[in-house]
Amino acid sequence: MYQISEVSKLVGLSIPTIRYYEKLGLIDTPIKNTRGYKEYDEQIIQYLGFIVHLRDTQMPLDQIKTYVDAYKRNDYSSCYSILQEHEKRIELELRKRRQILEKVQYKISHFSNLKGGGK
């Protein structure tokens, strides 16, 4: 079991963000220990880690909430569809970024070949 400060460090989220995700219902409310502190278990940490990955790929919180709700209902078909659509968006973004990277690399090469440019 983990205190919220430990969870924050493990998953790379601020304490207010963890509390906000709890308020939104993205994670279950953790149980309180005998001292009245919330204790987060490994399952909550795994959920938060996955949410961080989804957020890192620009999935909106409302879509993450839709996914979490479907998962809690054992609606795996919806989970699959949500993640499949998100995968398509990520792949499109990667293609765009690769094209931009190629243009930047071309410009770097171009300027390194000009007198006074580059190395």
Side-chain angles (χ1 to χ4, degrees):
M1 297 299 246
Y2 302 88
Q3 300 272 328
I4 194 167
S5 60
E6 296 169 308
V7 175
S8 174
K9 290 175 187 161
L10 285 170
V11 298
L13 291 173
S14 69
I15 291 172
T17 299
I18 294 169
R19 288 184 178 136
Y20 180 64
Y21 287 179
E22 184 182 328
K23 182 180 174 184
L24 289 178
L26 297 180
I27 59 171
D28 293 332
T29 302
I31 58 170
K32 291 186 178 182
N33 64 19
T34 56
R35 296 182 357 224
Y37 293 108
K38 292 179 180 178
E39 290 188 332
Y40 297 79
D41 62 19
E42 194 62 41
Q43 183 178 13
I44 291 175
I45 291 170
Q46 294 300 318
Y47 266 79
L48 283 171
F50 188 60
I51 290 169
V52 167
H53 291 311
L54 293 176
R55 291 295 295 143
D56 285 347
T57 58
Q58 310 305 311
M59 183 183 269
L61 280 178
D62 62 335
Q63 192 171 15
I64 293 172
K65 175 73 170 132
T66 301
Y67 169 83
V68 168
D69 290 345
Y71 186 82
K72 287 178 180 178
R73 291 189 314 271
N74 296 324
D75 182 359
Y76 303 130
S77 176
S78 291
C79 292
Y80 176 83
S81 296
I82 291 166
L83 292 178
Q84 190 176 40
E85 285 300 313
H86 188 61
E87 176 188 38
K88 290 176 186 175
R89 284 190 295 277
I90 292 169
E91 287 176 348
L92 177 62
E93 183 63 29
L94 285 172
R95 281 194 297 277
K96 288 179 186 178
R97 289 193 179 264
R98 278 191 205 105
Q99 290 173 345
I100 293 168
L101 177 61
E102 288 172 7
K103 289 177 184 179
V104 169
Q105 289 171 332
Y106 169 79
K107 289 293 186 181
I108 290 169
S109 174
H110 173 73
F111 286 116
S112 73
N113 291 328
L114 293 176
K115 186 175 182 169
K119 304 173 186 169

